[in-house]
Amino acid sequence: MPKPLSDRIKTLPSSQTLAMAAKARELKEQGKDIISLSLGEPDFNTPDYIKEAAVEAINENYNSYTPVNGYKDLRKAISKKFKRDNNLTYSIDQIVVSTGAKQSIANTAMVLLNPGDEVILPAPYWVSYSAIVTLCEAKYVEIPTTIESDFKITPQQLEAAITPKTKMIFFNSPNNPSGTVYSEEEFRALAKVLEKHPNIYILSDEIYELINYGKPSFSFAAIDSMYDRTITINGVAKAFAMTGWRVGYIGAPEWIAKACTKMQGQITSGTNCIAQRATITALNAPPSKIKFMVDEFKIRRDLILKLLSKIKGLKTNVPQGAFYVLPDVSYFFGKTIKGKTIQNASDISMLLLEEVNVATVTGEAFGAPTCIRISYSASQDDIIKAVKRITEVLT
Ligand code: GLU
């Protein structure tokens, strides 16, 4: 039977994070003792005060379509949050609530990119950035980085990557998958380069903002000269343990926010009503309410780095935020382990899954072809068990 799918979907790669998570889930269902360190998802429950707000919303009969750009009182709460946590002034007309930060990013790319435009992606980058850019028929241009420089790009590298076709650059700090956090000074140095190129727009993905072990995260739009061309992306999934609730949002110049609302109005409409009500409660509370999770992630980061450091040949940076570590595994390329010749990071990731039931994600999907991504949003027991298994197979 013919299956005349569009070229668009035929050439679209599957999300490697979701594919690995699905595979781990399937193997678990078959009874295998899988430890899943593949998905970037807090293992905490959504805090009670947020769940109670959702229950209340159901009982108060919040069940109708919501405004496409989000409830006004939610956008007010987001506007307050931007001011309180990021020193950013966004009116409620500059804010659009979407079904997850992933949709916020997709909306932004769809309303700004034309076929043939170039988008700069400092590598490593989150898997869906490249796919979304490709869906917009634009071209992504990677800036490579190394573990030695903590996976950071330099202003010189940024300048060299810019061409007359450059329309956007995506920043993500704290970074998925490297955990890298740019300082204010580093961002200001990059902004100096962008000041010379007024036609470039900046997507600043700040979804891991609160999962940060050092100085508070810096928002790119807080640089005055960048405010008018930066789209700030955030959401509640990671810091509030609300991944499945699917609430993301943008703060942006009003004309971009309007365009995103128009786009969303034709694709999904307003975000789920109950999730929006719960998000108001999540954002109105001070970030100190969720600090216990961040403190625990830091303990886990230190634990996993200590355990991984004992594996000969594995190199890591010290992630300052998010809940991932991205070890360089190139030392093992060309070696034969358990009868399998390792050629690349995917081979290592598959080896760990098949031989010792530990799910990770290959760095290839993130523009980091010599690395694998390990998510430490798992219990300390699981982290200890998993690294023990990894050590067994790699040493
Ligand atoms: N952002 C998370 C991750 O990187 C969730 C999965 C996804 O949407 O990619 O694991």
Side-chain angles (χ1 to χ4, degrees), residues 15 17-18 38-40 102 126-128 176 208 238 324 373:
S15 161
T17 46
L18 300 184
S38 54
L39 202 57
K102 195 181 277 193
W126 177 48
V127 291
S128 293
N176 172 9
Y208 293 96
K238 310 293 182 180
Y324 309 105
R373 189 190 78 171

Side-chain angles (χ1 to χ4, degrees), residues 7-18:
D7 293 344
R8 187 182 304 117
I9 193 68
K10 280 194 279 194
T11 54
L12 183 72
S14 294
S15 161
Q16 287 303 303
T17 46
L18 300 184

Side-chain angles (χ1 to χ4, degrees), residues 49-168:
Y49 65 101
I50 301 174
K51 290 197 290 199
E52 280 154 20
V55 171
E56 223 169 89
I58 293 173
N59 289 331
E60 282 173 9
N61 295 313
Y62 278 95
N63 41 234
S64 309
Y65 283 130
T66 64
V68 175
N69 54 353
Y71 286 124
K72 205 180 243 180
D73 46 355
L74 172 54
R75 284 180 290 124
K76 275 188 190 153
I78 294 169
S79 173
K80 256 173 47 198
K81 176 256 173 296
F82 273 134
K83 193 82 211 150
R84 179 190 67 199
D85 302 343
N86 313 102
N87 197 24
L88 292 176
T89 306
Y90 287 120
S91 73
I92 60 168
D93 296 328
Q94 292 177 274
I95 290 166
V96 182
V97 181
S98 299
T99 302
K102 195 181 277 193
Q103 188 183 27
S104 304
I105 295 167
N107 279 344
T108 304
M110 298 237 272
V111 306
L112 283 176
L113 295 174
N114 277 319
D117 285 344
E118 290 179 5
V119 177
I120 295 177
L121 299 184
Y125 49 82
W126 177 48
V127 291
S128 293
Y129 290 171
S130 48
I132 289 170
V133 169
T134 308
L135 266 180
C136 295
E137 297 179 56
K139 187 180 149 208
Y140 60 92
V141 176
E142 294 181 9
I143 303 183
T145 59
T146 62
I147 213 162
E148 285 72 26
S149 60
D150 192 22
F151 297 110
K152 284 177 182 166
I153 62 163
T154 62
Q156 294 74 19
Q157 281 181 298
L158 175 57
E159 183 75 71
I162 293 172
T163 76
K165 290 190 176 159
T166 307
K167 179 75 181 280
M168 293 183 82

